[in-house]
């Protein structure tokens, strides 16, 4: 096939080109004039590539080598593909000018038209970019990251290269939003985005996945060293103080890292693996980074199975309560019991509370489980032969749900239990997020006649300020000060003595938790604690054992009940 002509030629129509008149000649002249004046570039080529007709707009384009080259390739394709009526090809001619060429086979030639679609293409690019850009930070978004990952994963099969995906989650960001408002939170995210950008290499892709979550796709032959270096820099830089709208802010960052193609060969899975590593970093105390290990996926699968079983357990009533006595040191009498939750997993062993309570809190099941505990504890305690107290642990989630007071009122009414016999135990973590709201709820509970205790006292940061703001009925001294490393040195002893003295001055009962030996009992009694709880006296007991314990306690008031053979110990909800 001969090459097409790429030089402008005078217009010569096959039909007569008379200047005026009617009939075929006049119509041809009119058509020629119309085509000449048309802004759209038009030409007719013979099948051997000779220009039969071209207007001025086409001649101007034809002088540009890029247009002529693109047209030649397209012309040959048009002649080769007889079944194709037209072919559209955007062609860039520099200076942001883009033309779309269309070729239409004719009976004895080819019609060629070219249109300036620069504005249309620019708008299309703008819309395309917006669809892949996070409007708040200007970073890419999840769509962009997924596309870049997919492109990289397809290239890895042909051109293996080392890459890594890093997922980033900000620590303590929610507190900024809650206390200072979303405008400050948004401004902080923009500063965070700038700090992340400053650490990237030329080929790195960064995206904001939503909220305070970010991700980076890093291609570097020096993996995993390059990813570890970047993760360490991000943890350090993002953990430094910020000044935003006149506010001094301190947050942190945790980072999870997964490697390509070593960890897997699927974009969605590599993001999942990076998230698992991020979860491990946050579990390790935040402000750090972790690389994905296959054991993490196995643990997550086990966790997912437990989540399914936990949801089923609530419906199938696989939970039960056991009760651990609390003993007054002056009278050696049992004053009450603490209700502890147990889960007897279907087809398996009993699950430790420390394994499923955090999961229940995370997936939002702690509220219905906690309500079940309150109702059942009240109902069972109402049947005891003596009016002993029943203590129930209440989580921060239950306070945040705003249904706690209604649950307590309903449970007391249904069971007939006297309000003063119900004791709700809270930890300092309940007070840390929204102190005033929690204090208001505690006062409402007190007005009902319900007793309130602070559990695990001494392990938080603001214990004394909480005691000043709300008059608790009881302080429970964390077992780490009674046994373990803290109890061995003079520091632990001093803390227990100080708490006991504080309780006496405020008129509060002080209960030492975790007492297991006679030596520990003598020590806490000497320090001034009023009550004790622990395996030395009894492990947690099933409901059918309580009546005998109460009867024995009544018959032998001077002899503290000794520990039983029940092996289910530990704290729970």
């Amino acid at each position: 096939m001969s090459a097409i002509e790429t030089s402008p030629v005078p217009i010569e129509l096959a039909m007569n080109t008379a200047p005026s008149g009617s009939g075929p000649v006049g119509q041809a002249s009119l058509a020629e004039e119309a085509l000449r004046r048309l802004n759209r570039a038009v030409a007719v080529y013979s099948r051997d590539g000779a220009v039969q007709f071209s207007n001025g707009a086409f001649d101007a384009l034809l002088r540009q080598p890029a247009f002529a080259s693109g047209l030649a390739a397209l012309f040959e394709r048009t002649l080769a593909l007889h079944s194709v009526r037209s072919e559209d090809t955007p062609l860039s001619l520099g200076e942001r000018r883009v033309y779309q060429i269309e070729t239409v086979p004719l009976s004895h030639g080819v019609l060629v038209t070219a249109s300036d679609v620069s504005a249309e293409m620019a708008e299309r690019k703008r819309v395309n970019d917006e669809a892949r850009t996070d409007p708040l930070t200007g970073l890419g978004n999840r769509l962009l990251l997924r596309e870049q990952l997919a492109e990289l994963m397809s290239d890895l099969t042909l051109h293996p290269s080392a890459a890594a995906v890093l997922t980033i989650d900000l620590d303590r960001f929610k507190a900024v939003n809650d206390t200072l408002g979303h405008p400050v939170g948004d401004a902080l995210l923009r500063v965070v985005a700038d700090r992340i950008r400053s650490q990237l290499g030329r080929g790195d892709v960064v995206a904001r996945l939503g909220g305070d979550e970010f991700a980076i796709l890093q291609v570097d032959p020096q993996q995993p060293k390059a990813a570890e270096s970047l993760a360490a820099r991000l943890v350090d830089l993002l953990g430094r103080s910020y000044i935003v709208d006149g506010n001094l802010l301190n947050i942190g960052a945790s980072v999870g890292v997964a490697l390509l193609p070593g960890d897997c060969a699927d974009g969605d899975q590599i993001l999942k693996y990076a998230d698992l590593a991020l979860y491990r970093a946050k579990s390790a105390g935040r402000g750090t980074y972790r690389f994905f290990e296959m054991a993490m996926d196995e643990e997550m699968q086990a966790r997912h199975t437990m989540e399914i079983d936990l949801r089923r357990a609530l419906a199938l009533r696989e939970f039960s309560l056991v009760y651990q006595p609390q003993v007054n040191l002056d009278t050696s009498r049992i004053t009450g019991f603490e209700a502890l939750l147990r889960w007897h997993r279907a087809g398996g062993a009993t699950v430790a509370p420390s394994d499923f309570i955090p999961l229940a809190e995370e997936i939002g099941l702690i509220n219905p489980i906690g309500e079940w505990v309150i109702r059942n504890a009240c109902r069972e305690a109402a049947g005891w032969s003596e009016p002993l107290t029943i203590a129930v642990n209440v989580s921060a989630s239950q306070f945040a749900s705003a249904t706690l007071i209604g649950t307590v009122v309903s449970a007391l009414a249904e069971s007939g239990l006297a309000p003063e016999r119900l004791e709700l135990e809270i930890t300092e973590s309940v007070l840390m997020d929204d102190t005033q709201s929690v204090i208001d709820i505690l006062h409402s509970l007190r007005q009902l006649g319900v007793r309130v205790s602070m559990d695990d006292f001494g392990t938080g940061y603001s214990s004394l300020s909480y005691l000043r703001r709300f008059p608790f009925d009881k302080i429970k001294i964390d077992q780490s000060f009674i046994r373990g490393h803290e109890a061995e040195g003079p520091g632990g002893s001093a803390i227990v003595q100080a708490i006991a003295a504080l309780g006496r001055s405020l008129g509060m009962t002080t209960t030492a938790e975790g007492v297991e030996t006679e030596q520990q009992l003598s020590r806490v009694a000497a320090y001034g604690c009023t009550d004790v709880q622990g395996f030395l006296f009894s492990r947690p007991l099933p409901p059918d054992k309580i009546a005998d314990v109460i009867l024995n306690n009544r018959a032998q008031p001077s002899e503290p009940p000794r520990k039983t053979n029940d092996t289910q110990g530990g704290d729970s909800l």
Side-chain angles (χ1 to χ4, degrees):
M1 181 183 296
S2 60
I4 66 170
E5 293 183 7
T6 57
S7 298
V9 298
I11 297 176
E12 297 289 347
L13 293 178
M15 61 186 68
N16 196 330
T17 57
S20 62
S22 59
V25 175
Q27 291 173 2
S29 298
L30 183 61
E32 175 187 346
E33 183 177 358
L35 292 174
R36 275 180 173 173
R37 294 177 179 272
L38 199 65
N39 287 331
R40 182 169 180 154
V42 179
V44 176
Y45 279 81
S46 65
R47 287 191 168 269
D48 61 3
V51 177
Q52 301 299 303
F53 168 85
S54 64
N55 65 3
F58 188 87
D59 295 342
L61 284 176
L62 206 56
R63 295 189 185 97
Q64 300 190 48
F67 181 83
S69 175
L71 177 62
L74 188 58
F75 188 84
E76 293 183 6
R77 289 185 61 196
T78 302
L79 294 179
L81 303 174
H82 297 292
S83 62
V84 176
R85 176 168 178 75
S86 65
E87 185 80 27
D88 294 334
T89 303
L91 181 65
S92 268
L93 300 182
E95 298 182 358
R96 299 182 181 178
R97 307 310 300 173
V98 181
Y99 282 81
Q100 187 158 292
I101 305 172
E102 182 178 3
T103 59
V104 181
L106 303 175
S107 57
H108 299 293
V110 177
L111 173 65
V112 181
T113 61
S115 303
D116 187 341
V117 293
S118 304
E120 179 184 340
M121 296 300 290
E123 176 63 14
R124 188 179 302 174
K125 182 179 183 304
R126 184 189 68 78
V127 173
N128 185 67
D129 289 345
E130 282 188 357
R132 290 158 177 77
T133 302
D134 172 50
L136 178 64
T137 63
L139 301 178
N141 60 13
R142 188 181 292 272
L143 174 60
L144 174 69
L145 181 69
R146 288 186 178 277
E147 290 179 344
Q148 294 294 318
L149 264 174
E151 182 178 343
L152 176 65
M153 302 301 279
S154 64
D155 288 344
L156 285 177
T157 58
L158 299 176
H159 309 287
S161 59
V165 171
L166 296 86
T167 52
I168 307 162
D169 187 79
L170 302 182
D171 304 325
R172 302 184 299 278
F173 175 77
K174 183 178 182 297
V176 174
N177 260 348
D178 292 345
T179 58
L180 299 177
H182 289 281
V184 174
D186 289 347
L188 175 59
L189 288 175
R190 286 190 285 268
V191 179
V192 168
D194 290 340
R195 291 192 182 184
I196 294 176
R197 280 193 194 96
S198 71
Q199 300 303 306
L200 301 181
R202 176 181 295 181
D204 295 344
V205 177
V206 59
R208 178 180 174 230
L209 304 182
D212 59 345
E213 299 178 39
F214 301 83
I216 297 170
L217 174 59
Q218 181 195 47
V219 180
D220 193 307
Q222 301 301 316
Q223 300 293 9
K225 183 177 180 181
E228 183 171 16
S229 175
L230 176 58
R233 296 197 309 272
L234 289 170
V235 168
D236 174 62
L237 185 59
L238 300 181
R240 297 181 185 180
S241 297
Y242 300 77
I243 297 180
V244 178
D245 293 346
N247 299 287
L248 179 63
L249 306 176
N250 290 284
I251 60 172
S254 300
V255 180
V257 185
L259 299 174
L260 289 167
D263 288 335
C264 71
D266 176 81
D268 288 336
Q269 192 171 36
I270 200 68
L271 279 171
K272 170 192 168 184
Y273 285 173
D275 281 340
L276 289 176
L278 172 63
Y279 182 81
R280 177 62 60 85
K282 295 176 78 70
S283 299
R286 304 172 184 264
T288 186
Y289 63 88
R290 289 290 185 271
F291 277 77
F292 170 75
E293 299 172 0
M294 195 55 68
M296 296 178 184
D297 189 42
E298 296 169 358
E299 291 174 8
M300 187 55 65
Q301 295 299 329
R303 181 183 180 278
H304 179 65
T305 301
M306 179 177 285
E307 178 180 337
I308 295 174
D309 290 349
L310 189 57
R311 294 183 185 279
R312 184 170 57 223
L314 184 61
L316 299 181
R317 300 184 178 182
E318 294 177 358
F319 296 114
S320 64
L321 294 179
V322 292
Y323 300 89
Q324 187 169 37
Q326 298 172 332
V327 179
N328 179 268
L329 286 174
D330 288 336
T331 64
S332 297
R333 292 286 303 271
I334 295 175
T335 59
F337 294 84
E338 179 180 0
L340 302 173
L341 183 63
R342 295 289 181 262
W343 175 22
H344 304 283
R345 198 171 185 177
T350 300
V351 184
S354 58
D355 290 336
F356 73 86
I357 292 297
L359 177 60
E361 291 179 337
E362 189 174 332
I363 64 177
L365 280 183
I366 196 65
N367 290 332
I369 292 176
E371 180 177 344
W372 181 89
V373 171
I374 291 174
R375 293 184 183 280
N376 280 269
C378 288
R379 185 178 65 253
E380 292 181 351
W384 295 343
S385 60
E386 288 192 11
L388 305 177
T389 61
I390 178 65
V392 177
N393 290 272
V394 181
S395 71
S397 297
Q398 288 173 270
F399 273 87
S401 70
T403 62
L404 178 61
I405 294 177
T407 296
V408 170
V409 170
S410 175
L412 292 173
E414 291 174 358
S415 65
L417 186 75
E420 62 271 13
R421 290 183 58 195
L422 177 60
E423 181 178 294
L424 299 182
E425 296 185 358
I426 68 170
T427 61
E428 293 175 59
S429 62
V430 174
L431 291 151
M432 290 179 67
D433 289 336
D434 190 358
T435 304
Q436 188 55 53
S437 174
V438 172
I439 293 293
D440 292 342
I441 293 175
L442 292 178
H443 279 294
S444 297
L445 292 170
R446 175 64 61 77
Q447 289 174 0
L448 294 174
V450 174
R451 296 165 57 86
V452 181
S453 301
M454 177 172 281
D455 198 12
D456 299 335
F457 188 80
T459 59
Y461 299 97
S462 306
S463 303
L464 295 180
S465 66
Y466 297 148
L467 292 181
R468 186 177 67 250
R469 297 187 63 179
F470 182 81
F472 289 87
D473 295 284
K474 179 188 292 185
I475 303 173
K476 299 191 73 175
I477 304 172
D478 186 70
Q479 58 187 349
S480 62
F481 298 110
I482 308 303
R483 54 186 173 86
H485 296 298
E486 291 86 346
E488 299 299 328
S493 300
I495 290 174
V496 175
Q497 291 183 66
I499 295 174
L502 180 64
R504 281 197 305 273
S505 66
L506 296 175
M508 301 177 184
T509 300
T510 52
T511 300
E513 296 184 284
V515 175
E516 296 182 344
T517 67
E518 294 286 353
Q519 182 181 9
Q520 293 168 0
L521 176 62
S522 299
R523 190 162 60 235
V524 298
Y527 294 158
C529 295
T530 61
D531 292 75
V532 290
Q533 178 180 342
F535 290 174
L536 177 64
F537 300 95
S538 175
R539 292 179 180 271
L541 303 168
D544 58 3
K545 300 286 187 181
I546 301 300
D548 290 341
V549 171
I550 292 176
L551 183 63
N552 182 59
N553 181 62
R554 181 191 305 164
Q556 299 177 342
S558 62
E559 183 69 25
R562 312 313 295 175
K563 59 183 179 180
T564 69
N565 292 325
D566 192 310
T567 58
Q568 294 297 325
D571 292 335
S572 178
L573 184 69

